[in-house]
Amino acid sequence: MPSRDIVEAFAKRLEDGDFIEAIEQFCAPDAATYENNAAPMVGRDKLVAKERGVLAAFKEVKAVRVGPSLIEGDHVATRWTFSFTNAEGVTRTLDEIAWQTWRGDQLIEERFYYDPKQMGR
C-alpha cells in the first residue's frame, strides 16, 4: 500500500512537468499501463520511451490534478486534466481518470480512462 506522501510526491512530479522522472522514480521495472481498454504497455523502459515520444510531439504538456487522489489499500484513483499544446499553439485538453495499483511504494499498473474524442476538439 502506498503512503499518502508517496502518492502526493508522484502527483507533484506530474504537476511540475517531470513526467519522465515520475516514471523512473515510482514505476516498478515491470510496470504496465493501459490506455482505456487497449492492450498494455509493459516495462518501465518502454513507458519512458513512450512518454518521451509524447513529450516530443508537443510544445508543452501540463497536468493538473482535479481534487484529491483517493487511496484504498493498494489502489489509487486520481482525476487529471492534461493540456497538450502543439507547435502551432493549439491546445487540446484531456479529462482523465487514472486507476493505479501499487506494490508498496512502487506503481505496478496504471489504467487511463478517458474519451479519446476530447483530443479532436
Side-chain angles (χ1 to χ4, degrees):
M1 173 171 61
S3 67
R4 169 65 60 186
D5 289 343
I6 289 295
V7 171
E8 292 300 320
F10 176 78
K12 181 160 180 19
R13 283 277 195 181
L14 298 182
E15 291 171 319
D16 289 347
D18 298 331
F19 302 102
I20 302 298
E21 294 83 355
I23 295 168
E24 292 174 337
Q25 181 179 354
F26 295 100
C27 288
D30 60 342
T33 63
Y34 297 77
E35 297 283 338
N36 285 323
N37 292 320
M41 175 163 290
V42 181
R44 182 173 50 212
D45 292 342
K46 288 182 181 178
L47 301 178
V48 166
K50 178 183 176 189
E51 195 67 21
R52 286 188 197 285
V54 169
L55 295 173
F58 294 97
K59 179 179 164 184
E60 182 176 62
V61 179
K62 288 186 180 181
V64 176
R65 187 166 41 157
V66 181
S69 294
L70 306 176
I71 304 170
E72 180 65 33
D74 292 335
H75 300 286
V76 176
T78 306
R79 181 177 172 202
W80 291 97
T81 299
F82 287 92
S83 298
F84 300 88
T85 304
N86 66 20
E88 292 78 35
V90 176
T91 301
R92 302 276 190 244
T93 302
L94 181 70
D95 188 32
E96 158 188 295
I97 301 294
W99 176 259
Q100 302 171 333
T101 303
W102 291 72
R103 183 186 318 127
D105 289 340
Q106 286 196 313
L107 181 56
I108 60 170
E109 182 180 284
E110 191 165 28
R111 293 178 181 262
F112 305 111
Y113 296 100
Y114 57 89
D115 178 357
K117 292 178 187 172
Q118 295 177 84
M119 292 302 286
R121 294 182 191 150

